[in-house]
Amino acid sequence: MALPSGPVTTSSEAEAALFDLVDVYDRAYETAAAELSLSPAQACVLGRLDARRGMGALAEELGCDASNITQIVMRLEALGLVTREPDPRDRRARLVARTPRGDEIYQRFTAAFTFARSAVGRLSPQEQDQLTALLRKALG
C-alpha cells in the first residue's frame, strides 16, 4: 500500500479531517493485521476471497500489478491460508480461495479491526445517514 511519506498540506478543514480519518484508518488496519502476523496487503487479499477468485481479477480490483498479487498469494499459501488451483475454464490461469484456516484468520482480523464500526457507532442513526450520503457524493 502506498502511503504518503510525510505531512500533506490541506486546503480546508474538511480535507484535513479526511486525511486524519484515512491516516487513523490505515494505522488501525495495519495494527489489526500485525496482531495476526499479516501484512496489510495480505489481510486485504484475504478479505477479497469470500469466493474463489482469479488472480488477474484480484490484481485488477486492487489496482496493482499481477506480480504483486502473485507474491502476496504465495505468502498466504505458504501460511496455509489460501489455495491456488487451475481455472477449469483457462488452465493457464489460477483461482485462489481461502482455506478453513484462512477463513478463521480473516474472521479474527475482522473482529480485531474495529475502527470503522467504532467510529460510525459514535454517530446517531441520522448522522450515519448524513455521513453515508456525503461520502457517496464525495466519491462521485
Side-chain angles (χ1 to χ4, degrees):
M1 288 182 203
L3 300 175
S5 59
V8 177
T9 303
T10 60
S11 61
S12 68
E13 284 296 314
E15 189 178 353
L18 186 58
F19 275 115
D20 289 345
L21 175 77
V22 169
D23 185 47
V24 173
Y25 182 99
D26 284 347
R27 281 187 278 137
Y29 197 93
E30 290 172 12
T31 299
E35 287 176 13
L36 297 164
S37 301
L38 297 173
S39 71
Q42 289 169 333
C44 182
V45 169
L46 274 181
R48 305 292 173 134
L49 295 175
D50 288 337
R52 291 188 322 166
R53 305 276 311 275
M55 291 182 52
L58 278 171
E60 186 175 318
E61 184 176 323
L62 295 171
C64 65
D65 190 78
S67 65
N68 291 344
I69 292 298
T70 300
Q71 292 301 312
I72 294 166
V73 168
M74 286 174 60
R75 288 184 187 110
L76 290 170
E77 188 176 36
L79 294 169
L81 304 179
V82 301
T83 59
R84 287 186 297 171
E85 55 192 55
D87 184 334
R89 294 167 297 186
D90 180 356
R91 302 297 277 174
R92 298 167 296 166
R94 298 276 182 220
L95 296 176
V96 184
R98 283 194 305 235
T99 63
R101 174 88 175 125
D103 287 336
E104 175 197 336
I105 293 295
Y106 189 69
Q107 288 172 1
R108 289 174 53 198
F109 171 79
T110 300
F113 181 58
T114 61
F115 172 76
R117 286 187 301 274
S118 297
V120 171
R122 289 190 285 275
L123 304 175
S124 71
Q126 181 183 0
E127 289 170 327
Q128 290 179 31
D129 290 344
Q130 289 174 320
L131 178 61
T132 300
L134 291 170
L135 288 172
R136 291 199 191 288
K137 182 176 181 178
L139 291 171

